[in-house]
Amino acid sequence: RAQRDGRSCVRFFEPEMDIHVERRIQIERELRSAITADIIEPHYQPLVSLQSNCIIGFEALARWENRTLGRIPPDVFIPIAEETGLISALGDQLFRRACSDAIAWPETFTLAFNISPIQLRDPALGQRILSILGQTGFSPRRLEIEITESAFVERTGVAKTVIDVLRQAGVRIALDDFGTGYATLSQLLSFRLDKIKIDRSFVSQLDDSTESRVIVHAILGLAKGLGLTTTAEGVEDACQLGFLVANGCTEGQGYLFSDAVPTAGIRALLNRESGSTTVAEDGTPILH
Ligand code: C2E
Ligand code: MG
Ligand code: MG
Ligand code: MG
């Protein structure tokens, strides 16, 4: 909204735009010092088996509480880290933290960790991940890397090399936010995947959209035919859970089970699980 003033000059910057720009610059400045001070930490959201109803692992989700700016969500600071070249340092730092935390979990539990497409442009990433695994003692067989479709569209050569290095070491690869990107099925199939995570936007509409039910049913059939496991993201109610179980989805994740908890909260989650489970309307036991 450019405005003309009395001398017919055009103002491109409105006051509210200045605030956005200023806040961004402020976040970027704070982000640099947060990385230096190692303040951004992973929290962990349970991945639940829809067969056994037990927790089988956790996804690490970055959390940043800033003294002056308050809580800044990863949807805000991860893109800024990507644009400013800080993602590599931040990603390595979070991964090291997550491995050190996860080493204390029961041995059957998986750690799922998000890698941005920008990180996958770095040919040395695979070796760096393996060396952090070596240093922390966390087994590559317990690690699952989550990658979005955009990583499969551009500079696929480098991404493929990194993924190959990781797969050879036993790391599993999950396709995150499936259904929201622009990759073609043939692009996706040219990468060897272990898991598809169905995006929350489909899961959240299962209750009232026939289209969403058709799409989720089709994704689950496709994954089954390809021998891939499936995780439904953002499961919030028993109705959604019922549909997913009936259609053969292997895993669920969402507020119905638990939000992401700090590392100190994991013990309580596991105790709660081994103690009482409650039963949903459709008779499915759920964690509460
Ligand atoms: P994502 O990997 O798809 O993570 C799932 C997001 O859904 C998380 O948001 C989680 O808190 C949220 N969620 C889980 N269950 C529910 C639910 O039942 N309802 C609703 N409404 N939301 C639910 P979060 O933590 O804000 O993270 C957003 C995105 O930021 C992540 O999406 C991921 O792409 C990125 N991200 C987070 N941590 C990292 C990280 O350490 N590295 C990288 N590269 N990206 C990260
Ligand atoms: Mg993820
Ligand atoms: Mg996702
Ligand atoms: Mg996402």
Side-chain angles (χ1 to χ4, degrees), residues 64 68 276:
W64 179 21
T68 45
S276 64

Side-chain angles (χ1 to χ4, degrees), residues 155-234:
R155 303 197 206 186
T156 48
V158 176
K160 267 205 178 94
T161 310
V162 170
I163 289 170
D164 280 349
V165 166
L166 294 174
R167 280 195 118 250
Q168 297 231 311
V171 176
R172 276 161 295 153
I173 310 294
L175 179 58
D176 206 351
D177 304 341
F178 182 65
T180 60
Y182 299 97
T184 63
L185 282 177
S186 65
Q187 279 170 325
L188 294 178
L189 291 174
S190 73
F191 284 79
R192 306 243 319 276
L193 297 169
D194 300 280
K195 177 189 276 190
I196 285 176
K197 298 191 77 173
I198 303 170
D199 193 66
R200 186 173 78 224
S201 58
F202 301 112
V203 177
S204 67
Q205 291 183 63
L206 280 177
D207 297 349
D208 30 46
S209 152
T210 311
E211 282 91 342
S212 288
R213 286 194 289 275
V214 169
I215 290 168
V216 170
H217 176 82
I219 295 174
L220 291 171
L222 178 77
K224 192 177 180 192
L226 294 170
L228 306 174
T229 54
T230 40
T231 302
E233 302 189 292

Side-chain angles (χ1 to χ4, degrees), residues 59-61 112-114 146-148 176-177 197 233 253:
E59 177 177 0
L61 294 163
F113 192 82
N114 293 285
E146 299 194 1
I147 299 166
T148 53
D176 206 351
D177 304 341
K197 298 191 77 173
E233 302 189 292
Q253 187 180 0

